[in-house]
């Protein structure tokens, strides 16, 4: 089935980017845009971004991840190192992030190299997550086929029975 979308049109008129008004540091502009969008609650998840990597066959892969921090040092997201994205980043650290905020008709694209944070930063963020998210990071073999949901639920039940403080798995950060 084919569908012609050539008449789908929208005029983007909400703003302009004036070169003389752009700060020298692009992180400042990103911060201004992000803060405005977040403060006005214009987007459901303004920190949602597309992350593009290249797999072992040189094929691009893109998925949505959540930005968890940013500064002049870079943009932070977390993943399972054994996932497709984790393996792709290990093999080729060149990545592309893309933010699209339809409410303001703004888009930001960031190219750079991904690298692991130090364990302390990963531990701190892991410990700040809700228990369910911590359990998910511990038991999930991200990007792998699982036999059934029951297997995951059983793994979670075993961990809960131990009643120990949850620890960030080495394969996550």
């Amino acid at each position: 089935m084919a569908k012609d979308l050539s008449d789908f049109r929208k005029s983007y008129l909400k703003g302009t980017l004036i070169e003389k008004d752009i700060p020298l540091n692009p992180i400042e502009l990103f911060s201004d845009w992000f803060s405005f969008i977040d403060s006005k609650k214009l987007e459901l998840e303004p920190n949602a971004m597309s992350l593009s990597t290249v797999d072992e066959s040189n094929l691009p892969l893109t998925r949505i991840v959540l930005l968890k921090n940013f500064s002049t040092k870079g943009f932070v997201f977390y993943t399972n190192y054994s996932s497709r994205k984790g393996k792709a980043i290990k093999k080729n650290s060149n990545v592309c992030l893309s933010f699209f905020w339809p409410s303001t008709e703004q888009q930001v694209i960031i190219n750079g190299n991904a690298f692991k944070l130090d364990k302390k930063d990963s531990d701190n963020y892991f410990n700040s997550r809700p228990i369910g998210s911590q359990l998910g990071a511990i038991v999930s073999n991200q990007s792998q086929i699982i036999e059934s949901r029951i297997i995951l639920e059983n793994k979670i039940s075993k961990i809960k029975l131990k009643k120990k403080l949850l620890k960030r798995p080495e394969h996550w950060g």
Side-chain angles (χ1 to χ4, degrees), residues 21-36:
D21 296 336
I22 298 173
L24 291 177
N25 183 340
I27 302 297
E28 287 179 41
L29 181 61
F30 178 86
S31 182
D32 290 345
W33 286 5
F34 187 90
S35 296
F36 175 78

Side-chain angles (χ1 to χ4, degrees), residues 103-125:
S103 63
T104 57
E105 299 176 347
Q106 291 170 307
Q107 176 173 275
V108 176
I109 297 172
I110 301 153
N111 290 298
N113 291 90
F115 56 89
K116 290 181 183 179
L117 294 173
D118 59 51
K119 291 179 179 188
K120 182 182 172 196
D121 290 334
S122 292
D123 287 342
N124 288 340
Y125 177 69

Side-chain angles (χ1 to χ4, degrees), residues 13-133:
L13 304 170
K14 289 189 178 178
T16 56
L17 187 60
I18 309 298
E19 212 169 336
K20 69 177 181 61
D21 296 336
I22 298 173
L24 291 177
N25 183 340
I27 302 297
E28 287 179 41
L29 181 61
F30 178 86
S31 182
D32 290 345
W33 286 5
F34 187 90
S35 296
F36 175 78
I37 290 163
D38 186 44
S39 69
K40 302 288 187 196
K41 304 296 181 218
L42 298 175
E43 298 289 340
L44 183 61
E45 285 187 292
N47 61 323
M49 59 186 184
S50 296
L51 166 67
S52 297
T53 59
V54 178
D55 73 8
E56 63 278 351
S57 301
N58 257 358
L59 295 172
L61 297 166
T62 301
R63 77 286 283 152
I64 304 298
V65 297
L66 297 176
L67 177 69
K68 293 300 178 181
N69 194 357
F70 69 91
S71 69
T72 55
K73 294 179 184 176
F75 294 76
V76 177
F77 64 92
Y78 293 88
T79 190
N80 180 320
Y81 302 142
S82 301
S83 68
R84 284 175 67 184
K85 79 176 111 31
K87 289 176 182 175
I89 291 169
K90 184 177 182 179
K91 188 151 181 80
N92 181 346
S93 66
N94 294 306
V95 299
C96 181
L97 304 177
S98 177
F99 294 85
F100 176 56
W101 300 307
S103 63
T104 57
E105 299 176 347
Q106 291 170 307
Q107 176 173 275
V108 176
I109 297 172
I110 301 153
N111 290 298
N113 291 90
F115 56 89
K116 290 181 183 179
L117 294 173
D118 59 51
K119 291 179 179 188
K120 182 182 172 196
D121 290 334
S122 292
D123 287 342
N124 288 340
Y125 177 69
F126 182 84
N127 294 330
S128 76
R129 301 177 83 202
I131 298 291
S133 296

Side-chain angles (χ1 to χ4, degrees), residues 111-169:
N111 290 298
N113 291 90
F115 56 89
K116 290 181 183 179
L117 294 173
D118 59 51
K119 291 179 179 188
K120 182 182 172 196
D121 290 334
S122 292
D123 287 342
N124 288 340
Y125 177 69
F126 182 84
N127 294 330
S128 76
R129 301 177 83 202
I131 298 291
S133 296
Q134 292 178 358
L135 288 166
I138 292 168
V139 303
S140 172
N141 293 328
Q142 197 175 22
S143 302
Q144 302 297 314
I145 296 172
I146 57 169
E147 291 178 43
S148 72
R149 181 177 188 87
I150 293 170
I151 291 172
L152 288 179
E153 290 172 353
N154 287 340
K155 286 182 182 179
I156 289 171
S157 294
K158 286 178 185 175
I159 292 170
K160 284 182 176 178
L161 283 174
K162 293 179 183 176
K163 295 186 179 180
K164 290 172 34 179
L165 184 64
L166 299 177
K167 186 178 176 216
R168 178 187 63 84

